[in-house]
Amino acid sequence: MNIILVGLSHRTAPIEIREHFSIPANKMGDALYHLKSDPLIEEGIILSTCNRVEVCAVVKDTRAGFEAVKKFLIESYSGVSRESLEPCFYMHSASNCLRHLFRVASSLDSMILGEPQILGQIKDAFDQAILHKTTGVILNKVFKKSISVAKRVRTETRIAESAVSVSYAAVELAKKIFGKLTEKSVLLIGAGEMAELAARHFKGNGVLSISFVNRSYDRALELAKDLGGIPVKFEDFHVEMARSDIVLCSTGAPEYVIKSEEVSKVIAIRQNRPIFFIDISVPRNIDPKINDLDNVFLYDIDDLQISVETNIKQRKKEALKAEEIISEEIERFSRWFKSLDAVPMIIALKGRAEEIRMAELEKILGKMGTLTTAQREALEGLTSAIVNKLLHTPLTVLKQEVHSTNGNMMLEATRRLFDLEDMLAQPEREKQEKTKGPPT
């Protein structure tokens, strides 16, 4: 029995190939059913995002499992020849599979290191698999662990704290200048993707109001309706600028849209209350001379890019800490996974029973005073016989059922019912002690 993963991502396949594998949410049930209908696949989950499609499965035969999943992906979705796709696929099994999943969930494998969306996408994939009953004991444990590892990485590192997009960096910069943004009004000039993203970040930070200006008033109206803002006609934006604490400009104009003399008038109207300008246009849309005016702060896209690059370096440092956390979690999970093998489970169960028998025997011997050798042997024989009879049926059933459909569930139940975690970890501890050798 093994955990495997087959997939392709932004690291191995261009968008022209990835888009063939996109599985809409309303088709995911059919895809999961199709995957699980292969007798080689015991459990299965499909993760489909714009940057990756991955199938994680539990199989008995690793090599055959890899081929079955690849066949599923190629024949069901691609429409592209196998020869073209082969170089795009990556395949992982056992601990390498776990490491990949934990890294993906922790956004260490994302296009933008530390981005938060992937964790939600993994939760959605897991929910779909549970809904369509294509997971069991193992993948349920694997994906719950992946989610908890990702949360631990976010809690114990600073991988997600710094802005790594220009739009988000603009908002973070505004927060550094003004502190809280809840009392601040924002004016967005331009209605492109970056302006829209910035608007969403400002809204997420609870600004007092957002006004939208665009040469196409209909587009400004559309954005204002979508994001809960105020549409302003282009010819009126100078008036609106005087009411705004933050002005973000992102248009395709080839010349300055905001000039120094206009800002000078705006500052006078504002009675010298500070105003923060962010110019993320190329070519620039705000005259850089406004930086010479008192109480005016101007940052352009290069200023923001420097901030973004610094933050990316910081995230890469934090990623090293995340990798250490993932290694720790893989070791813990691998110990649990090995326990699903019947042999160590049986040894652990016998060990637990013997531990209890000996402890109770010592107690009673202490109370009975001096016994003859025969009497002592009789007591030991009696207690051993009781333990063996009690364990006979559970051990027989475990051996018989371990390869059945419910085998994993039965092993997991045994581990929890008899509290065998510590007993199962004992051989690994002894192995580590031997490796260390005697103290010098």
Side-chain angles (χ1 to χ4, degrees):
M1 182 171 52
N2 202 354
I3 307 168
I4 65 167
L5 182 141
V6 179
L8 49 81
S9 74
H10 61 99
R11 297 188 186 280
T12 63
I15 182 67
E16 292 79 12
I17 287 182
R18 297 202 309 275
E19 63 191 3
H20 284 286
F21 291 91
S22 176
I23 305 173
N26 61 349
K27 301 283 184 186
M28 186 54 80
D30 291 339
L32 285 165
Y33 175 78
H34 183 192
L35 173 70
K36 186 68 169 51
S37 65
D38 190 318
L40 291 169
I41 308 295
E42 300 206 346
E43 302 179 33
I45 286 183
I46 302 171
L47 174 65
S48 175
T49 74
C50 57
N51 282 330
R52 69 182 67 242
V53 59
E54 295 181 343
V55 174
C56 187
V58 175
V59 297
K60 284 180 180 166
D61 185 324
T62 303
R63 187 182 293 273
F66 279 145
E67 287 306 312
V69 174
K70 279 201 289 186
K71 184 181 175 189
F72 162 76
L73 286 170
I74 292 170
E75 294 185 358
S76 303
Y77 299 102
S78 73
V80 182
S81 71
R82 189 181 182 102
E83 292 71 26
S84 305
L85 289 173
E86 280 289 354
C88 302
F89 283 123
Y90 45 80
M91 298 182 291
H92 300 296
S93 65
S95 60
N96 287 336
C97 176
L98 291 176
R99 183 174 296 281
H100 178 83
L101 276 173
F102 293 174
R103 292 187 81 255
V104 168
S106 305
S107 73
L108 298 184
D109 196 52
S110 294
M111 192 176 280
I112 298 174
L113 186 65
E115 57 87 12
Q117 286 84 6
I118 187 63
L119 184 55
Q121 290 164 334
I122 285 181
K123 287 178 180 173
D124 290 342
F126 186 32
D127 287 344
Q128 284 284 333
I130 288 176
L131 179 66
H132 294 94
K133 300 178 180 174
T134 59
T135 60
V137 172
I138 295 176
L139 285 192
N140 286 346
K141 185 88 172 179
V142 167
F143 275 75
K144 283 178 184 173
K145 176 58 80 174
S146 298
I147 292 165
S148 73
V149 169
K151 288 179 178 174
R152 189 183 162 199
V153 165
R154 287 188 174 274
T155 303
E156 296 184 19
T157 74
R158 300 176 63 192
I159 197 160
E161 288 188 5
S162 308
V164 291
S165 73
V166 168
S167 301
Y168 191 43
V171 178
E172 289 294 298
L173 202 54
K175 285 166 69 179
K176 282 182 183 172
I177 290 174
F178 290 113
K180 289 184 180 178
L181 301 180
T182 50
E183 299 297 322
K184 303 302 173 189
S185 297
V186 178
L187 172 64
L188 293 179
I189 304 173
E193 185 181 354
M194 289 176 82
E196 185 176 342
L197 273 174
R200 293 187 186 280
H201 290 313
F202 276 122
K203 190 173 174 60
N205 280 275
V207 294
L208 186 63
S209 65
I210 306 180
S211 299
F212 295 91
V213 172
N214 195 52
R215 289 188 191 275
S216 162
Y217 183 67
D218 286 346
R219 175 64 178 146
L221 201 61
E222 183 186 335
L223 271 179
K225 188 177 176 184
D226 185 30
L227 296 170
I230 305 161
V232 176
K233 291 184 176 175
F234 189 80
E235 54 269 28
D236 296 334
F237 88 81
H238 296 96
V239 177
E240 189 62 29
M241 196 157 61
R243 301 191 190 110
S244 304
D245 304 295
I246 301 164
V247 178
L248 186 144
C249 196
S250 175
T251 82
E255 71 283 333
Y256 295 145
V257 175
I258 299 175
K259 297 174 181 161
S260 180
E261 53 271 25
E262 294 164 343
V263 175
S264 184
K265 291 176 188 173
V266 164
I267 283 294
I269 295 169
R270 289 174 60 82
Q271 298 181 330
N272 286 316
R273 279 186 296 124
I275 184 167
F276 174 39
F277 287 89
I278 309 162
D279 187 357
I280 56 177
S281 317
V282 179
R284 289 177 294 177
N285 286 167
I286 301 178
D287 185 351
K289 287 182 185 172
I290 72 166
N291 236 347
D292 298 331
L293 300 172
D294 290 338
N295 296 312
V296 172
F297 304 90
L298 169 65
Y299 289 84
D300 63 25
I301 196 163
D302 280 356
D303 298 322
L304 298 177
Q305 197 61 46
I306 290 169
S307 172
V308 166
E309 286 169 6
T310 303
N311 291 341
I312 287 173
K313 286 179 185 171
Q314 182 60 38
R315 285 195 177 193
K316 285 180 178 174
K317 283 184 184 173
E318 295 299 311
L320 297 176
K321 297 177 190 171
E323 298 283 5
E324 291 176 9
I325 290 172
I326 286 171
S327 294
E328 285 176 21
E329 296 290 349
I330 287 172
E331 190 177 328
R332 287 181 193 170
F333 189 89
S334 297
R335 195 160 58 232
W336 173 84
F337 190 64
K338 284 177 187 171
S339 76
L340 293 182
D341 188 346
V343 174
M345 189 67 76
I346 288 170
I347 293 171
L349 184 51
K350 283 183 173 178
R352 168 69 75 221
E354 182 64 12
E355 189 180 73
I356 295 169
R357 185 186 76 83
M358 289 303 296
E360 295 303 315
L361 186 62
E362 288 302 320
K363 280 186 197 172
I364 196 68
L365 287 173
K367 292 177 183 175
M368 293 180 73
T370 305
L371 296 178
T372 66
T373 302
Q375 288 171 326
R376 188 181 179 93
E377 286 176 353
L379 266 179
E380 288 188 354
L382 174 68
T383 53
S384 292
I386 292 171
V387 167
N388 289 337
K389 286 198 173 185
L390 276 173
L391 289 183
H392 176 73
T393 302
L395 293 181
T396 302
V397 173
L398 266 182
K399 288 174 186 172
Q400 289 173 345
E401 296 291 329
V402 71
H403 297 300
S404 71
T405 310
N406 296 322
N408 293 333
M409 193 185 300
M410 197 161 284
L411 288 166
E412 171 66 1
T414 304
R415 184 181 68 82
R416 294 176 67 176
L417 282 172
F418 294 96
D419 189 21
L420 298 179
E421 191 68 40
D422 192 51
M423 294 298 295
L424 288 162
Q426 193 169 324
E428 189 63 29
R429 284 200 298 271
E430 290 173 355
K431 187 178 171 184
Q432 288 175 356
E433 288 298 322
K434 284 181 184 175
T435 306
K436 287 180 187 172
T440 57

